[in-house]
Amino acid sequence: MKKDLNPQENYQRTRDLCGWVPRHDATRKTYEDIGFMSGLEVHQQLNSKKKLFCRCPVGIYQDFEDYDTEVVRHMRPTLSELGEYDGTALMEFKTKKEIVYRLKNITTCTYELDDTPPFPLNREALAIATEISLLLKQNIVGEFHITRKQYLDGSIPTGFQRTGIIGIEGEIFPEGRRVGIIQVSIEEDSCREVSDIGHRRVYTTDRLGIPLIEVVTYPDMKEPNEVAAAAEFIRYLTRSTGKVRVGIGAGREDVNVSATGGTRVEIKGVAHISWIPELTHNEAFRQRALVHLAEEIAKRKLDIKTWDITSKTIDSAHVAPYLLEEISLEGLDVVTVNLPDFKGLLSWFTQPDQCLASEISQRLKVVACLEQPNMTHSEALKPLFDIKSMEHVAELLNAGDNDAQIIFFAPKDDIPTALETIKERCQMAFAGVPNETRKSFADGTTIFERVLPGADRMYPDTDSAPIPIEEKFIEDIREQLPKHLQEQIALLQDWDAPEDTYNYLLRNNLIQWIEVITAKFGIEPHRVVTLFGHRLKELERKHDGMIGLDSILAMFDFIAENKLNFEYAYELLKEVYLNPKMPMDECATLAGLVILEPNKVEETIYKMIEERKELLDELTQECGIKYVMGDIRRRVIGNLPMEMVYEIVVSAFKGSEEE
Amino acid sequence: MDDNTQGYKNRAREILEKYKVRVWGDSEIYTTRGTFKGIILPRSENDDDKHIVLKLITGYNVGINIDTITDMKEIGYKKANYKIPEKEFPYSEGKPNIKLIGTGGTIASRLDYRTGAVIPAFSPGELYGAVPELADICNLKTDKLFAVFSENMGPEQYKTLAIAIGKEIENGVDGIMIGHGTDTLHHTAAALTFMVQNSPVPIVLVGSQRSSDRPSSDAALNLIHAATAAGTSDIAEVMICMFGPTSDEYGLLHRGTRVRKMHSSYRSTFRTIGDIPLAMVTREKITHLKQTYNHRRSDRNVTIKPFFEEKVGMIYYYPNMQPDMIDSMVENGYKGIIIAGTGLGHVNKPLYPAIERAVKAGVHIFMTVQTIWGYVHMFVYDTGRDLMAKGIVPTENMLPEVAYIKLGWVLGQTDDPEEVRRMMLSPVNGETTEGEPYNGYLVFQGGTPEIEKFLCTIHM
């Protein structure tokens, strides 16, 4: 390897080596070539009145700075039921975090704080979950067992989530392709994170304990868009029950991705389905890049057993003047680390604007609690020191020409963990892709979050007895099932619904409304589709908040009683939407709409033309008709179809011509 | 018990035998609700005989209704070997030598498939595997005297414990820890205070409100605090060491005769009643709160008094209590009765004749208050004076449970009424006090503005 390595060039060279292309340039073949595979874990809050294991209300959120008191806890790893410690558990313990919970009395009782055992499972939530499980065509379990799933990040004060399986197997057909379902579980939602700085992580307990279901699919998706489509499908399917919570954070996705030579990596808590394609695209290539990196290490014939780092602590006062950026080193030691034979690897591409060193830095933050910027290195894409200083560091460490160096900043107590973390991550590079969960960003990149937990973190909940799921319970729910999403989509096709209405109608579970309205009032479905899919969507986008089916039905009752036609609804909807409590005739007045006796329509038109005679005489006939049509619309709409109004206007003009 | 059908009874067991599948067998179960695959787990004995429990590959457990099963196949076998990793507890010169005596409880524990509950793990190696910090504090030896739940602790156990403690002290330990279930931890603490007198070293009782199989368990921190207290504190008394607040912040050392479990599930359940705790304890240090206590000594002059009369009972008075409640105790041969009376220490008039009959029959009756806090004051009202005239002895501010234990211990030694009375009213270590400090009674009321404001500034 040449001595004067250019980090930027190396980053680009290694990016090209793994075949990375922007997503818009990728084709199905691109993904086939890298062995793209992805599965989903869709989380959806259920709209029960109370939490899953206590009687606190659901859906009240506090401001982060508004709390009644705080509780502090620490988490320790424990053994799984099968007698093994879980990998994540041990890593979390290494971090020695102080966990602070901010609680509000209104949303939190002693259960959330783990000072009272669980109350019996919320039956309302169990029924909703069973309904969704049936819609997914699952095998429902005979007995629901509550299991503890360890989370040592503190997001749940007990240190575990109470969860259980309601159904296994199952299938869906997003865009006509089959996607298998592994399982559906019911779980309690976790705390919301306020901050995570150094050794202190702060949470609120408002969301904690809200019933959730988790739908887990097989890794049946072969390209990024399919993953998003499956996520949408599951979201609409859960919404078709009308019993799930909507709004920010009510639905979240974990996305599992792997590529050839890589492993299952979980991208956690993706807030928007629209982020999924970019995230999965980048993750698959990150794995390919790490596989190439491992091959490069193999080529260099490095032995994982003997490979080791060396380090030296230097006085931060000596270092500070050479910093190119302003970083406070107060209270921190500066540690230099030599990575033998790692030249060219630290700047190895992993994701857009990230390289192997980024992964090390992220682990230093999570595992050793070092706030970023926590390090720089000899191949930094944006250097913190000039080349001279880095060469000096290499000398200090007696580094060889093919070595790479890291400089990190840490409080004294955290240095051993930090050194261990650096060594551990580098050694992981020998094998390729580490098992981990990653946090997602809107730009489609991810950062290290935690080691991927295994089945070892499951433990039966000794506080709760198993709940038998009787045949009758299932049959009662089966009889009340909503129309299956597949059939709803078929209906939209039958109705010739415009493409741009699908998402809105399915997301808001409006197919059933359309069916009710068309059946009750004999209106053509296509017209109701556009009323909702265009008109209502537009109103909701502008004003926020959803109208009730009651108001819509009252509106159509009013129209039917007054023998008006559908066009009236199109005009009236806005006022009904804005004034849900107002009587229909007042809404109509507000909208400037009128109800005319059947024989009065023609009279109104003629009268209007008469009133505007002077003005109309100035215009050509074509313009005159246009003008009149525009003006008369509100005064007659709904009373007579507009095409007939047009005919009357035209004949009125013709009549006056003949005069 | 047949290992292959562990915990399964009746039809569930027959099904397993019929299809020749075993507990811990990796199995496929075909049912009318679909096919399920996983490892068959033992069933908890208290659960029904209608389901088979399966651990899925994802780690979750599910139950299969046996009525839906159409076929089963065993395709593998994987028996779990649940064991807390044992590492030899390191010995370091200069660290205090502590003996941990086990009685049961959930200090360190593992799952018991028979009951679905947790059972304790106990050897020093296991404890070191679970709480390695202990090695920074002390050299530890353990001895499991019994494995009983807290509610099954009684006079026999108290006596055995007291004798064992006496031996350990003679053998030269620097401190003693006793692992114990929390429900009756304060009864045992009182008993040991009376039975182990003049101890030169700390005797620290410790338990946990959340079993150690939970990541947020208080067990490890309680053990660390207790080891610190037993090994390094200057307080040579019988004490309970448990969480101060529910937060992982510090433990409190409570005098064994003034402490009570006050909440069924909170971590901070143990409170000193009618006084302030002896000290606060963290991993780093012990902060004394009470200035007077028995100091640690280097001699080994401990006095063990392992006595207990089992025919002692306690009556919790309620309005309209009938005299036959007391008569039946006398008829059943009870020698001593503690009454937890209302208010300042009262019961109703209809009980008077029964009380007279009891005293005449030689039963020793002592009065405590069910208000928990405060003194018995039987001179204030006629009722109280009447009762005293009939032979009931007020016990100052002795806690009802402590009075019960003490009366059992006293009657184990004498039944002379004067001597019993003298011993009951002469405090061994703080079971009665000469006065109550103003901050010995603090039960805050949530909701009031000043308390809400205060709660905002502390960790609960």
Side-chain angles (χ1 to χ4, degrees):
Chain A
M1 178 132 317
K2 277 188 292 178
K3 201 179 171 195
D4 52 340
L5 176 109
N6 179 328
Q8 280 293 349
E9 278 173 25
N10 190 49
Y11 166 85
Q12 270 165 28
R13 179 184 71 82
T14 52
R15 190 185 69 184
D16 297 344
L17 186 66
C18 76
W20 185 88
V21 289
R23 191 164 66 85
H24 53 79
D25 290 344
T27 62
R28 190 164 182 89
K29 171 124 191 349
T30 313
Y31 298 113
E32 266 172 32
D33 290 348
I34 61 169
F36 180 99
M37 251 167 74
S38 178
L40 279 166
E41 295 170 18
V42 178
H43 297 91
Q44 174 63 56
Q45 288 181 345
L46 305 181
N47 201 12
S48 59
K49 284 176 204 68
K50 295 175 181 174
K51 289 186 176 179
L52 191 55
F53 289 108
C54 68
R55 289 71 182 260
C56 286
V58 156
I60 301 172
Y61 291 116
Q62 71 202 72
D63 289 334
F64 283 165
E65 297 307 317
D66 176 23
Y67 53 90
D68 292 329
T69 192
E70 289 182 329
V71 168
V72 174
R73 296 273 159 78
H74 304 89
M75 300 293 159
R76 294 180 80 88
T78 61
L79 287 182
S80 83
E81 183 186 14
L82 296 180
E84 282 151 53
Y85 279 109
D86 186 73
T88 331
L90 289 174
M91 187 204 84
E92 297 280 0
F93 188 53
K94 241 185 239 171
T95 62
K96 295 196 188 86
K97 285 266 184 193
E98 178 175 83
I99 315 286
V100 180
Y101 299 100
R102 291 181 173 174
L103 53 106
K104 287 290 282 180
N105 280 321
I106 188 166
T107 58
T108 309
C109 68
T110 49
Y111 169 69
E112 282 96 332
L113 266 302
D114 190 33
D115 267 321
T116 288
F119 296 94
L121 181 98
N122 183 331
R123 290 277 164 166
E124 190 189 4
L126 184 68
I128 301 170
T130 306
E131 181 173 339
I132 292 168
S133 181
L134 286 171
L135 287 173
L136 291 165
K137 304 191 168 72
Q138 289 205 289
N139 309 342
I140 309 282
V141 301
E143 203 178 42
F144 183 79
H145 281 245
I146 298 162
T147 302
R148 301 177 187 166
K149 190 185 202 175
Q150 282 201 4
Y151 280 97
L152 279 93
D153 58 0
S155 59
I156 303 187
T158 44
F160 54 78
Q161 181 183 46
R162 289 194 165 90
T163 164
I165 299 287
I166 184 67
I168 66 159
E169 298 302 319
E171 59 184 13
I172 52 170
F173 290 90
E175 296 176 336
R177 276 184 300 268
R178 183 185 184 279
V179 173
I181 304 292
I182 296 176
Q183 64 184 29
V184 171
S185 58
I186 309 177
E187 25 188 72
E188 46 187 350
D189 208 343
S190 56
C191 291
R192 292 192 300 145
E193 186 180 303
V194 176
S195 61
D196 180 10
I197 300 164
H199 289 272
R200 186 181 152 97
R201 194 180 286 142
V202 182
Y203 290 104
T204 61
T205 56
D206 42 10
R207 193 180 69 186
L208 176 66
I210 295 179
L212 268 186
I213 51 154
E214 183 195 52
V215 179
V216 186
T217 77
Y218 281 94
D220 288 344
M221 281 74 84
K222 305 290 185 225
E223 58 173 298
N225 286 328
E226 289 179 13
V227 191
E232 288 284 13
F233 192 94
I234 293 168
R235 183 189 190 198
Y236 296 157
L237 182 135
T238 58
R239 285 197 179 190
S240 74
T241 62
K243 293 165 191 156
V244 299
R245 289 181 56 76
V246 295
I248 295 166
R252 310 186 295 274
E253 281 78 30
D254 295 347
V255 189
N256 298 314
V257 182
S258 67
T260 307
T263 183
R264 182 172 80 94
V265 164
E266 188 174 326
I267 306 169
K268 296 283 274 185
V270 179
H272 302 281
I273 290 175
S274 60
W275 292 7
I276 290 178
E278 198 70 22
L279 286 167
T280 50
H281 171 89
N282 282 333
E283 175 53 27
F285 280 106
R286 189 184 72 93
Q287 295 195 15
R288 288 302 299 153
L290 290 173
V291 171
H292 283 283
L293 177 69
E295 285 166 3
E296 171 67 25
I297 292 175
K299 259 187 234 160
R300 295 185 188 185
K301 299 198 169 34
L302 304 186
D303 180 3
I304 194 162
K305 287 193 206 93
T306 54
W307 188 88
D308 205 353
I309 58 174
T310 51
S311 68
K312 262 196 184 123
T313 303
I314 48 180
D315 192 340
S316 62
H318 289 315
V319 173
Y322 300 101
L323 278 172
L324 299 177
E325 254 179 65
E326 211 155 294
I327 297 171
S328 165
L329 296 180
E330 211 187 307
L332 303 179
D333 278 351
V334 176
V335 185
T336 58
V337 187
N338 190 52
L339 314 177
D341 296 308
F342 253 50
K343 190 172 202 170
L345 303 188
L346 289 179
S347 55
W348 197 282
F349 167 87
T350 54
Q351 297 177 77
D353 295 325
Q354 287 193 34
C355 53
L356 179 66
S358 322
E359 307 228 334
I360 296 171
S361 169
Q362 290 153 14
R363 279 189 181 242
L364 284 178
K365 155 78 180 125
V366 176
V367 184
C369 301
L370 306 185
E371 288 305 308
Q372 288 169 314
N374 48 24
M375 61 166 260
T376 185
H377 57 102
S378 49
E379 300 171 14
L381 301 177
K382 290 177 197 127
L384 272 183
F385 294 106
D386 58 30
I387 296 173
K388 273 255 165 332
S389 323
M390 288 310 299
E391 281 170 359
H392 184 66
V393 166
E395 270 171 39
L396 190 76
L397 289 162
N398 291 325
D401 279 353
N402 292 329
D403 298 353
Q405 291 82 38
I406 286 176
I407 302 177
F408 69 87
F409 323 113
K412 204 171 250 51
D413 289 349
D414 294 329
I415 292 173
T417 312
L419 286 170
E420 206 180 305
T421 305
I422 292 172
K423 182 178 172 187
E424 193 179 51
R425 181 61 190 88
C426 289
Q427 285 181 327
M428 284 173 172
F430 285 54
V433 185
N435 268 305
E436 61 193 30
T437 70
R438 300 183 64 84
K439 201 163 157 176
S440 61
F441 292 99
D443 68 0
T445 63
T446 57
I447 59 169
F448 172 76
E449 186 179 63
R450 284 195 277 139
V451 175
L452 189 70
D456 283 347
R457 62 168 171 165
M458 311 294 283
Y459 196 87
D461 185 21
T462 46
D463 298 328
S464 341
I467 302 165
I469 309 292
E470 309 287 354
E471 215 60 50
K472 181 165 184 326
F473 175 79
I474 299 173
E475 287 318 310
D476 287 352
I477 293 170
R478 203 190 295 277
E479 275 170 27
Q480 306 280 325
L481 282 185
K483 191 177 297 265
H484 195 272
L485 184 58
Q486 215 67 52
E487 294 169 45
Q488 296 198 19
I489 293 169
L491 266 181
L492 284 173
Q493 285 160 348
D494 275 359
W495 294 340
D496 200 17
E499 281 281 328
D500 65 348
T501 59
Y502 274 50
N503 270 358
Y504 182 77
L505 297 175
L506 294 171
R507 187 170 77 231
N508 291 294
N509 199 19
L510 296 179
I511 310 298
Q512 44 172 353
W513 289 18
I514 297 171
E515 285 188 290
V516 169
I517 292 160
T518 51
K520 188 165 177 204
F521 301 101
I523 304 167
E524 221 190 305
H526 182 80
R527 309 191 78 168
V528 189
V529 163
T530 52
L531 178 73
F532 288 161
H534 290 154
R535 187 78 174 149
L536 183 60
K537 180 182 172 186
E538 179 69 9
L539 284 169
E540 212 201 322
R541 194 180 59 79
K542 273 192 198 151
H543 303 282
D544 222 29
M546 197 53 190
I547 193 170
L549 177 60
D550 290 356
S551 303
I552 298 274
L553 288 176
M555 180 178 83
F556 278 106
D557 274 335
F558 178 78
I559 288 171
E561 275 163 26
N562 291 292
K563 302 196 171 52
L564 298 160
N565 67 38
F566 185 79
E567 285 162 341
Y568 202 85
Y570 227 86
E571 300 300 316
L572 183 56
L573 183 65
K574 180 180 174 184
E575 296 305 329
V576 176
Y577 174 90
L578 291 175
N579 310 288
K581 298 241 160 71
M582 195 180 274
M584 280 303 149
D585 51 347
E586 288 177 31
C587 288
T589 311
L590 267 182
L593 298 171
V594 292
I595 301 168
L596 300 168
E597 294 291 317
N599 52 356
K600 289 281 163 71
V601 177
E602 202 166 332
E603 196 185 311
T604 308
I605 296 169
Y606 275 93
K607 205 172 148 204
M608 192 219 139
I609 292 174
E610 192 56 39
E611 281 166 11
R612 306 275 195 281
K613 196 160 188 333
E614 268 178 44
L615 179 72
L616 291 173
D617 284 346
E618 307 273 313
L619 303 172
T620 61
Q621 191 181 20
E622 197 186 337
C623 288
I625 291 172
K626 246 190 201 158
Y627 173 81
V628 171
M629 283 302 292
D631 222 23
I632 199 79
R633 191 178 158 80
R634 289 223 160 243
R635 293 161 70 173
V636 299
I637 195 164
N639 291 278
L640 202 66
M642 285 316 282
E643 55 262 43
M644 289 175 70
V645 172
Y646 181 74
E647 275 168 29
I648 295 170
V649 173
V650 171
S651 66
F653 271 84
K654 290 219 170 105
S656 65
E657 217 171 57
E658 278 159 21
E659 273 170 28
Chain B
M1 191 180 359
D2 182 355
D3 233 26
N4 289 335
T5 54
Q6 200 186 335
Y8 289 96
K9 333 169 252 215
N10 309 327
R11 288 180 44 231
R13 185 188 178 129
E14 285 162 21
I15 289 265
L16 289 178
E17 283 164 354
K18 176 178 162 195
Y19 292 108
K20 298 192 172 59
V21 287
R22 294 169 289 173
V23 164
W24 303 117
D26 192 0
S27 309
E28 286 179 1
I29 306 183
Y30 304 92
T31 80
T32 53
R33 292 188 191 174
T35 304
F36 295 82
K37 289 178 199 162
I39 293 166
I40 294 180
L41 293 182
R43 183 125 173 119
S44 169
E45 272 180 357
N46 301 322
D47 289 341
D48 69 27
D49 58 355
K50 297 185 183 68
H51 296 89
I52 285 169
V53 190
L54 206 59
K55 179 173 270 310
L56 306 177
I57 183 93
T58 50
Y60 283 89
N61 296 355
V62 301
I64 312 290
N65 185 331
I66 53 170
D67 292 331
T68 64
I69 294 176
T70 54
D71 196 9
M72 288 172 85
K73 247 187 247 158
E74 184 179 297
I75 52 175
Y77 188 81
K78 189 190 176 189
K79 184 163 182 175
N81 180 22
Y82 190 100
K83 208 164 171 281
I84 291 175
E86 263 202 70
K87 290 189 213 153
E88 201 182 336
F89 202 97
Y91 178 85
S92 17
E93 201 65 51
K95 292 225 164 80
N97 297 315
I98 292 182
K99 183 63 169 262
L100 171 57
I101 299 174
T103 66
T106 48
I107 268 292
S109 47
R110 59 194 169 93
L111 191 74
D112 175 10
Y113 270 114
R114 194 180 58 80
T115 58
V118 284
I119 54 175
F122 196 68
S123 75
E126 284 173 331
L127 280 172
Y128 180 55
V131 192
E133 296 99 313
L134 287 175
D136 300 335
I137 303 168
C138 61
N139 298 312
L140 188 71
K141 286 194 172 137
T142 64
D143 194 359
K144 195 193 241 161
L145 279 192
F146 348 95
V148 298
F149 287 117
S150 169
E151 58 271 24
N152 298 328
M153 287 291 292
E156 276 318 304
Q157 285 77 19
Y158 301 153
K159 289 190 260 183
T160 311
L161 253 180
I163 293 165
I165 289 169
K167 287 212 175 97
E168 293 301 335
I169 292 173
E170 280 169 27
N171 291 343
V173 291
D174 296 312
I176 289 169
M177 280 199 280
I178 297 158
H180 196 295
T182 57
D183 281 6
T184 65
L185 190 54
H186 52 298
H187 295 84
T188 304
L192 292 181
T193 306
F194 303 132
M195 293 181 181
V196 182
Q197 293 188 15
N198 200 37
S199 168
V201 299
I203 299 166
V204 186
L205 290 105
V206 63
S208 74
Q209 283 288 86
R210 292 292 164 282
S211 54
S212 65
D213 58 349
R214 303 162 193 246
S216 67
S217 168
D218 53 341
L221 206 48
N222 278 332
L223 262 181
I224 291 167
H225 291 156
T228 306
T232 64
S233 101
D234 183 43
I235 309 171
E237 297 187 11
V238 175
M239 300 173 271
I240 284 178
C241 177
M242 291 285 286
F243 266 36
T246 180
S247 285
D248 288 358
E249 296 219 310
Y250 58 86
L252 287 174
L253 294 178
H254 304 276
R255 183 163 276 161
T257 54
R258 291 239 59 89
V259 58
R260 198 167 186 280
K261 187 175 187 181
M262 297 301 286
H263 194 280
S264 63
S265 53
Y266 249 89
R267 287 165 172 73
S268 51
T269 178
F270 283 92
R271 304 281 96 181
T272 290
I273 306 290
D275 205 341
I276 57 169
L278 288 164
M280 292 163 75
V281 50
T282 65
R283 305 166 189 242
E284 288 83 27
K285 63 170 191 229
I286 290 165
T287 310
H288 289 267
L289 302 177
K290 264 191 96 65
Q291 300 314 317
T292 49
Y293 56 85
N294 300 332
H295 294 264
R296 185 192 278 272
R297 309 187 309 272
S298 53
D299 66 62
R300 298 283 125 185
N301 304 329
V302 63
T303 313
I304 304 300
K305 299 185 169 182
F307 311 110
F308 206 93
E309 167 54 60
E310 299 205 17
K311 285 305 234 182
V312 172
M314 176 148 61
I315 279 183
Y316 193 93
Y317 173 74
Y318 47 86
N320 199 35
M321 178 181 271
Q322 301 297 309
D324 55 3
M325 290 292 287
I326 290 175
D327 288 337
S328 63
M329 289 187 80
V330 177
E331 279 160 27
N332 282 302
Y334 276 79
K335 295 182 176 153
I337 299 174
I338 299 295
I339 300 177
T342 54
L344 294 163
H346 300 135
V347 296
N348 64 2
K349 276 222 166 83
L351 290 191
Y352 288 8
I355 288 167
E356 275 169 9
R357 287 193 289 274
V359 172
K360 208 168 162 195
V363 178
H364 309 269
I365 308 184
F366 289 83
M367 181 64 79
T368 61
V369 289
Q370 52 186 252
T371 56
I372 305 297
W373 273 274
Y375 285 76
V376 186
H377 273 293
M378 300 182 71
F379 289 103
V380 179
Y381 296 106
D382 285 345
T383 327
R385 289 182 210 163
D386 289 348
L387 286 170
M388 285 195 294
K390 298 191 189 319
I392 293 189
V393 182
T395 59
E396 305 278 331
N397 61 341
M398 205 185 301
L399 295 170
E401 296 82 5
V402 176
Y404 158 75
I405 294 286
K406 189 167 185 188
L407 186 56
W409 175 72
V410 169
L411 289 178
Q413 301 169 73
T414 175
D415 57 5
D416 171 57
E418 269 319 301
E419 182 60 5
V420 171
R421 188 188 181 107
R422 189 194 64 77
M423 287 178 76
M424 280 300 281
L425 297 181
S426 316
V428 172
N429 192 26
E431 64 270 30
T432 57
T433 60
E434 293 190 328
E436 183 182 13
Y438 69 92
N439 56 356
Y441 169 65
L442 286 179
V443 183
F444 290 151
Q445 289 283 275
T448 57
E450 69 270 25
I451 294 304
E452 290 301 321
K453 203 170 152 196
F454 169 63
L455 293 179
C456 239
T457 63
I458 59 153
H459 290 150
M460 284 282 280

